[in-house]
Amino acid sequence: MSPKPLTGDDARAIFATTDTSLLEVVDNLLTKGVVLTGDVVLGIGGVDLIYARLSVLLCTVDRLLAAQDDVPARPRGGRRA
Amino acid sequence: MSEVYVYALLGQVPPPGTGAGLCEEPLRVVRVGELVAAVGDMTDPPAVSEATLRAHDAVVRRLADAVDAILPVRFGSLLSESSLADLLAARAPELSEALALVAGREQMTLRVLGDAPAAVETPRDDVGADALGPGARYMAARRAEWRRAREAPELAPLRPALAALVRAERVTRHDTPALLASVYHLIDRGGAAAYQAAVQSADLGTVRAVATGPWPPYAFAPEALG
């Protein structure tokens, strides 16, 4: 399944309707992505989304929503270095 | 062996009353020369979840409110106290400089949203590129690429209004619609309302900019524990 690309208006709507502070916390805390490898599962608005970075969420939210059935695991914690 | 979970590097020892860490462990400091690290004692790294991420952020925010200068450390940094001391000692000059930059300041995050990246302007030093050899052309292209990765030309109309507020900038380009770039600005503490007003009154044409903050200066912290 090929997700349709998000437009600028779509992205603005995401900022307007989701918990922006959580998105920013994820971006701030995981932005380097070195200590944490693998995906992080978080719930936003009652919907579980997989993402490691804010940018990934914004660019691939359609795909992520479609792929929920394929999510293999709940939050995987800790360092994997 | 017991390890320490690192929340942030601080410009000074915080006053008492900054609360507990994300596992409810007491916070304490590790001092190495003039550097101060805020840590909690843990045996295992915390699991990644919305709750633990928010808890880590809450600890960093409390520390930020208690001191003038803070360099937040990313989630999941657990190491022995001696390793921490070695890392801090090895990078003390760089970290002290970074602490000086963020002192009395906080971060605003600007998301640049649009359907297409800004058109690439031909860098001035590429003029006459035909006269260059293949190696020089390659290096010129690399230089242009490097420069472009650190710029946000979409914000040009906003620059004059922000000039008086912004003390430092970091840019991460994504160039994948709809998120074109993330721009992190260091501003003086208390300047968030003026910053938001400037962003909201700017006309960026087809591009939109969404500002959030103030945040602790996450984007201005070197990878101290990397």
Side-chain angles (χ1 to χ4, degrees), chain B residues 12-145:
Chain B
Q12 65 201 82
V13 175
T18 50
L22 67 83
C23 292
E24 297 300 323
E25 84 283 5
L27 292 179
R28 63 184 180 90
V29 298
V30 173
R31 302 192 66 150
V32 178
E34 294 182 356
L35 295 170
V36 177
V39 307
D41 292 291
M42 282 188 205
T43 50
D44 297 304
V48 185
S49 71
E50 178 181 345
T52 54
L53 289 172
R54 283 197 185 278
H56 179 116
D57 185 62
V59 173
V60 169
R61 284 173 172 278
R62 286 202 308 273
L63 291 167
D65 287 343
V67 298
D68 190 47
I70 183 167
L71 296 173
V73 172
R74 66 178 181 264
F75 186 88
S77 296
L78 186 72
L79 68 174
S80 71
E81 190 164 335
S82 60
S83 298
L84 173 62
D86 291 344
L87 278 166
L88 296 185
R91 302 187 58 186
E94 178 192 2
L95 295 172
S96 294
E97 195 176 320
L99 278 165
L101 177 67
V102 300
R105 294 171 178 165
E106 55 197 355
Q107 175 185 316
M108 296 298 285
T109 299
L110 202 53
R111 304 294 178 182
V112 182
L113 310 171
D115 293 338
V120 182
E121 293 175 21
T122 305
R124 203 174 307 158
D125 50 5
D126 272 7
V127 173
D130 290 347
L132 301 174
R137 279 201 303 273
Y138 172 78
M139 292 308 292
R142 286 289 301 272
R143 185 168 57 229
E145 190 179 307

Side-chain angles (χ1 to χ4, degrees), chain A residues 7-9 11-12 15 19 21-22 24 27-29 32 35-36 40 42-43 54-55 58-59 75 77-79, chain B residues 46-50 53-54 56-57 74-76 78 107 109 111 115 174 176 178-179 184 208 212 215 218 223:
Chain A
T7 66
D9 285 342
R12 201 163 54 142
F15 271 100
D19 185 344
S21 75
L22 175 59
E24 298 292 358
D27 189 45
N28 284 336
L29 268 63
K32 305 299 194 299
V35 172
L36 296 159
V40 182
L42 296 175
L54 174 67
S55 56
L58 286 173
C59 298
R79 242 177 1 172
Chain B
V48 185
S49 71
E50 178 181 345
L53 289 172
R54 283 197 185 278
H56 179 116
D57 185 62
R74 66 178 181 264
F75 186 88
L78 186 72
Q107 175 185 316
T109 299
R111 304 294 178 182
D115 293 338
H174 310 290
T176 308
L179 182 60
Y184 306 95
R208 312 231 186 289
T212 65
W215 308 102
Y218 280 99
E223 291 201 48

Side-chain angles (χ1 to χ4, degrees), chain A residues 6-69:
Chain A
L6 289 182
T7 66
D9 285 342
D10 289 336
R12 201 163 54 142
I14 290 172
F15 271 100
T17 57
T18 59
D19 185 344
T20 304
S21 75
L22 175 59
L23 301 184
E24 298 292 358
V25 165
V26 169
D27 189 45
N28 284 336
L29 268 63
L30 304 183
T31 185
K32 305 299 194 299
V34 174
V35 172
L36 296 159
T37 58
D39 295 317
V40 182
V41 181
L42 296 175
I44 296 178
V47 179
D48 280 344
L49 299 172
I50 270 195
Y51 61 98
R53 297 192 49 169
L54 174 67
S55 56
V56 176
L57 172 69
L58 286 173
C59 298
T60 63
V61 67
D62 290 352
R63 181 162 56 228
L64 295 175
L65 287 169
Q68 275 184 89
D69 293 343

